[in-house]
Amino acid sequence: MGFWETLQNVNDTVNTFVWTTVGVWLLMAVGILMTVLTKFFQVTHIRHWFKKTLGSLFDKKVISHTDEKASISQFQALCTALAATVGVGNIAGVAAAIMSGGPGAVFWMWVAAFLGMMTNYSENILGIYFRRKNHHGEWSGGAMYYLQDGLGGYRNMKVVGKVLAVIFAICAVLASFGIGNMGQVNKIVINLTSAFKIPVLSTTVLYSSNGSDVTLDMLVVGIILMIIVGIVIIGGLQRIASVAEKIIPFMVIAFVLGALVIIFANITSIGSVFAAIFGKAFTAQAAWGGGVGISVKTIITMGCKRGVFSNEAGLGSSVMVHSNSNVLEPVKQGLWGIFEVFADTMVVCTLTALTILTSGVIDLNTGAAVTDTDATLVAEAFNTVFKIGNFEFGKYFIALAILLFAFTTILGWSHYGTKAVEYLAGEHAPIVTIIYKVIFVLMILSGAIMTSSIAWDISDTFNGMMMIPNLIGVLSLSPLVMKLTKNYVDRRLKGKTDVEPMLSHFPDIQEEHAKLVKETGEE
């Protein structure tokens, strides 16, 4: 057995353990716990968090750019977080879940999202509460900080907290190169070069590997992406956030409208689709996938895993950008975390699933699909309506959607990786983060001309390895999340004036922010 085969087998074993044996179940357990401890906050206070998120998008305090170098607006923080979460997983990931786990996987994707709302809420609260300023005067927060100062603050847990923080940061950096970079770039290149063929470029083969050709058009797309991403990343978080807030709303609205057209065109099949989703969520499917039986466990794990892959609730990744918000109140940013998961999974992923299942591109009973690949399955679903003669508009629409979705994911993950490197580098952060950004940009070219899936298979493992220390941190700090939530509810919802706000772990920041809240009433 060769080196690459051995590496693939080892990675498959670790990936199964991280995601299937431990990860998904730990994720569900933490989600259930945080939902119960916060008294089903995502349901009992749904009107409040909708008002403070979607309902506040016309509030200048929320959407206006801040003059502080240390922070970005709440809306920019949301868009940058969504930039990293709303990506290929919302298209190819959902299709893969259905192709592997059947319609029942969609139900478990919803369950994971419902519980993930409170996991993401808890992460964001802790991120704001334990954040601090870095060498550039920017806010820095994330799982590594609440592991170090939160979990590490318990008696005899200082070393444990620090070790878990370092493990999280290392895995975040490695995942940023794979899932956050090369994997996204590869999807962009494959879809663009397949949809928009330029004979002179597509027929010029540079080299062949693993039975696949790397053509000149793949290299050209990679170089263009590398230049554009490099220009944006060099501008730092402010430029990334500025680009994200322009692209994210446009691409989400365009995709939602396109999906709704497909669904309404096939509205007569909506009843049977929902019957399949709920009916097959708890039933082993012997006929699905051409005669290969699917167990209930597989249906659950595929739905939950793909849901997490899409919204990232529990990974601790989006906390690193939410912590840059100009918000003063930790719970206020937690509300945006709830909305982030809702928008990503309950809206975008659900529409993708309904588009696939109502369009007839996959048989609800046998699992027979019109194509073998996940991304092209969604394109075929769009082609059922958006096709004029031989002109397959759906194919081009999905290619462009994946371009925008994956491009913004690259930008979001570049920030996550930078924050993780910043934590690991300590006092050497100014130099090391620049080196990281250069390597990150160069890796884009590798993703464009790569033919093997081993790189992002390993990155998927590191993605899962981020999740375990993060969930341990959230679990250990659940009493603090309860206290912060109760403090917010007492002051903001019940109007108690004798309760002092809990805004930061650090006394100097707590005092400064408490003064601002008292003077301005800002959250």
Side-chain angles (χ1 to χ4, degrees), residues 84 275 354 407 457 480:
L354 294 179
F407 173 72
D457 286 344
L480 176 59

mmCIF file of all heavy atoms in Angstrom, residues 84 275 354 407 457 480:
data_model
loop_
_atom_site.group_PDB
_atom_site.id
_atom_site.type_symbol
_atom_site.label_atom_id
_atom_site.label_comp_id
_atom_site.label_asym_id
_atom_site.label_seq_id
_atom_site.Cartn_x
_atom_site.Cartn_y
_atom_site.Cartn_z
ATOM 1 N N ALA A 84 -18.602 32.950 5.257
ATOM 2 C CA ALA A 84 -17.874 31.703 5.463
ATOM 3 C C ALA A 84 -18.802 30.495 5.572
ATOM 4 O O ALA A 84 -18.419 29.376 5.251
ATOM 5 C CB ALA A 84 -17.004 31.793 6.718
ATOM 6 N N ALA A 275 -43.825 14.458 3.049
ATOM 7 C CA ALA A 275 -44.144 13.119 3.566
ATOM 8 C C ALA A 275 -42.892 12.241 3.552
ATOM 9 O O ALA A 275 -42.645 11.469 4.495
ATOM 10 C CB ALA A 275 -45.248 12.482 2.728
ATOM 11 N N LEU A 354 -35.673 21.358 -1.085
ATOM 12 C CA LEU A 354 -36.995 21.327 -1.728
ATOM 13 C C LEU A 354 -36.882 21.453 -3.241
ATOM 14 O O LEU A 354 -37.659 20.856 -3.987
ATOM 15 C CB LEU A 354 -37.883 22.438 -1.166
ATOM 16 C CG LEU A 354 -38.280 22.307 0.312
ATOM 17 C CD1 LEU A 354 -39.144 23.487 0.743
ATOM 18 C CD2 LEU A 354 -39.016 20.992 0.565
ATOM 19 N N PHE A 407 -16.473 31.953 -3.171
ATOM 20 C CA PHE A 407 -15.554 33.092 -3.096
ATOM 21 C C PHE A 407 -15.653 33.789 -1.737
ATOM 22 O O PHE A 407 -14.641 34.080 -1.090
ATOM 23 C CB PHE A 407 -15.865 34.089 -4.217
ATOM 24 C CG PHE A 407 -15.079 35.371 -4.137
ATOM 25 C CD1 PHE A 407 -13.727 35.395 -4.434
ATOM 26 C CD2 PHE A 407 -15.697 36.562 -3.759
ATOM 27 C CE1 PHE A 407 -12.989 36.578 -4.347
ATOM 28 C CE2 PHE A 407 -14.973 37.745 -3.671
ATOM 29 C CZ PHE A 407 -13.615 37.750 -3.971
ATOM 30 N N ASP A 457 -10.274 16.230 2.199
ATOM 31 C CA ASP A 457 -10.727 15.160 3.093
ATOM 32 C C ASP A 457 -10.054 15.320 4.459
ATOM 33 O O ASP A 457 -10.679 15.188 5.510
ATOM 34 C CB ASP A 457 -10.377 13.784 2.514
ATOM 35 C CG ASP A 457 -11.276 13.404 1.348
ATOM 36 O OD1 ASP A 457 -12.338 14.052 1.186
ATOM 37 O OD2 ASP A 457 -10.925 12.484 0.598
ATOM 38 N N LEU A 480 -22.027 30.081 32.821
ATOM 39 C CA LEU A 480 -21.799 31.492 32.509
ATOM 40 C C LEU A 480 -22.776 31.956 31.438
ATOM 41 O O LEU A 480 -23.298 33.080 31.515
ATOM 42 C CB LEU A 480 -20.361 31.697 32.035
ATOM 43 C CG LEU A 480 -19.979 33.111 31.570
ATOM 44 C CD1 LEU A 480 -20.201 34.128 32.696
ATOM 45 C CD2 LEU A 480 -18.526 33.148 31.083
#
